[in-house]
Amino acid sequence: MKRWLIAFAVCVSGSATLIAQEISTADLDFFEKRVRPLLVQHCFECHSAKAEKMKGGLLLDSREATLAGGDSGPAAVIGEVEKSLIVQAIRYDNENVQMPPTGKLPDAEIAVMTEWVRRGMPFPAASASKTGRRVIDIAEGKKHWAFQKFVVPPSGGPMEHRLKAERRTRIDDFVLAAQSQRGLSPSREASQETLIRRLSFDLIGLPPTSAEVQEFIADESPDAYEQLVERLLADPRFGERWARTWLDLTRYCDIGESWRTGEGQPWLYRDWIVRAMNADVPYDEFVRKQLAADLLPDFQPTDAAALGFLGLSPTYWKELKLDHNVIKQVVAEEWEERIEAIGGTFLGLTLACARCHDHKFDPITQQDYYGLAGVLASIKIDDRPIIAKPLADQAAAARAQLKESQAQLEKLLKEPKPADNATGEEKAKAADVAKQIESLRGKIAELQQTPQLNTPVAFGVTEAAMIVLPDGPNRTKIEYKPSEPQNVAMQIRGNAANPGAVVSRRFVSVLSPNEPASFKNGSGRLELANAIVTDAAPLAARVIVNRVWAHHFGRGLVATPSNFGTQGEKPTHPELLDDLAARFIEHGWSLKWLHREIVLSATYRQSSAESRDTVFSEEEKTVSRLSADGSRRSADPENLWLARMPVRKLDVEAWRDAMLVATGEMDRRLGGEPRELSEVGHQRRTIYGTVRRRELSDLLRLHDFPDPVSHSGSRMPTTTPLQQLFVLNSSYMQARAAALARFVQAERPGDLAAQVALAHVRLFSRESTLDEIATGVEFLKSPQSGDVTLDAVWRQYAQVLLASNELQFVD
């Protein structure tokens, strides 16, 4: 059985040419009386359309399916009996290809099957399986909603269903219409304190200061909210907050695999993303630069850092003492990971599912997969300088010489000094060593003056085909051919040792207006990027619009942000998604426009708080299916129709950053090298904490930070006992509690009530209630004796406040 599965467990290498056939009466009689009984008895259980589980991708219940073949390729070759796989299998000629697996057929039955192949495999058409081998219908696949052009009502929104509720942007037209159809109505607008805190966390990832809250509340101008939105969008911290959401998709890390070589600094990619977000780089340009910045006509050296999308891809260890087919398999795994990241990030598609066979659910063929794999097979992960080439070359050469000179100097400094009674020869040698040391020190000093010597180098890619070659028995060598792109062969069943037909580098068929053209320019990276934002523009726009929406509302219009295929969720508001995506493109692919449009809507400004004393209008009472306590939650528990704003748990970055803001410790410098989050004194934003690919810090690991080993389309917020234990016992939380205690005591010396009030303002951006002040003061005045000082009690109280739900969630 194992040999049988191995033989038929590798993917289709190509389709045989099907030869039209007229069946003679004799051939028909031969098939029905002698061949069909053998197929039914020995083959159809595993190799027919009615089989519970088809083995090896092979169908034998029609001539066409048999000639097309299965996992090992065509089962028969017309006119060449000895080369036909089905004949080899039933004869047990090859130990890896033997069928049926239960035992060899009698010689008489083998002779019948061989004669059937010799006759051209006559098979009555009426008996052929109508399904046969599954063939993807690309034209039919293009009818899937995600691959269609935008469908937008001429008026821009469904006006006829609008309730008498405040409408601020076109978004509200669609949301109100959907609510009206379901007997729902929107919640009232949230308070100003709630709105500024919500906006601040959403747009810059930090809480507002007390002064900012008071200024916003006091501003009675009709456009106060709009002005607040503009101020936050222009804040440099906007880029930090939204860069981190993008880095989840790109599996960013500061420390990757131990076997990576080169001088590349991953943080340059992170900082490039921050700058791009702040500069509102059009999203189509944003995509192009991450895949092919170096191939654009207006390429600037600083944009080389954008290539970190590919340059920071996970790499797998390639042990060259193994057979070259093993190493080819490792390389194929890398292609798969990168195709998964490209498909998931930009297109919301699981393209990597087509590596071993055509996609089981989406109209993505194996040829599509290997067309993309050829692009990745034609690039090399490599250092990319972020300064102009002449200076970059000079600096690189100087760094290499400097490294070599420093190694020589270190070796010479270890030479033993001559003794007092040393011979003349020994003294002469020592003198020569001293001269060499002096010379090296001079050379090192000179090299250290090289312009741009210490300019960081980015992780990126260059144009070079990777060639995996045998290097003797069970050994491998890898060669790179600069500027020589290559097409790759399909791998039957994903097995690199079993190649099939070669596929030209190209884009995905279902996303191309016509038959996808082969990529001609180098690796094809730029052509791929262009295809994503032109041919696939509606899909690419829907995907990024949905991601931004999900970060603002806790759930996307499509609940599966990285799967817009047939197995993904359908959009709850398809017309809204299309309208927003179409206008996103019309507004120059501007992400800041998109954020603005969302947060200005009445839908975004809704309150999340509902209680028994909620007052509804007569119209709302009439049309809304509300529970007895006045809650919309019973009518729409998942809030699919957005009749309220959800309360959302802060991500770990915003939570940690909010603590640093409250304690007055935050270092607000932008950019630069990362530091370990566990380091004492590391008080910069969490985005500047070191991310290790395979060893996350406790803070990140316990608080839903995505695994940077692979593309992460969304985070799943959790509440676990380990998180609470971290709050109670970690030295980090204790240090923040001590800092908060010191801060409030220093700001309001001797006044416990004022200290408690200040702590609430710093942490929650609101005034404390009388009950909160009374409870806090009572705790702080609790009996103090021995080592239990007021400062110690304050640290305990501060730790409780830092652990509170109000700090960890945003309304």
Side-chain angles (χ1 to χ4, degrees), residues 4 36 89 96 241 277 387 412 459 482 589 595 655 694:
W4 167 252
R36 186 186 291 279
N96 292 322
R241 188 263 184 270
M277 291 289 183
I387 55 177
L412 289 174
F459 263 125
W589 298 82
H595 286 287
W655 178 54
R694 302 182 187 276

Side-chain angles (χ1 to χ4, degrees), residues 431-501:
D432 183 55
V433 168
K435 288 181 181 179
Q436 291 181 54
I437 289 174
E438 184 179 357
S439 174
L440 283 170
R441 282 175 171 161
K443 183 177 181 180
I444 289 171
E446 182 181 350
L447 289 169
Q448 289 173 337
Q449 300 304 313
T450 304
Q452 309 287 346
L453 175 68
N454 295 315
T455 299
V457 176
F459 263 125
V461 293
T462 53
E463 299 278 281
M466 174 192 279
I467 311 296
V468 179
L469 299 168
D471 190 28
N474 297 320
R475 292 187 66 88
T476 300
K477 64 180 178 180
I478 295 176
E479 294 181 355
Y480 286 95
K481 295 186 176 180
S483 302
E484 289 190 23
Q486 62 177 335
N487 296 320
V488 298
M490 291 195 298
Q491 297 174 356
I492 298 174
R493 211 56 160 180
N495 183 355
N498 197 355

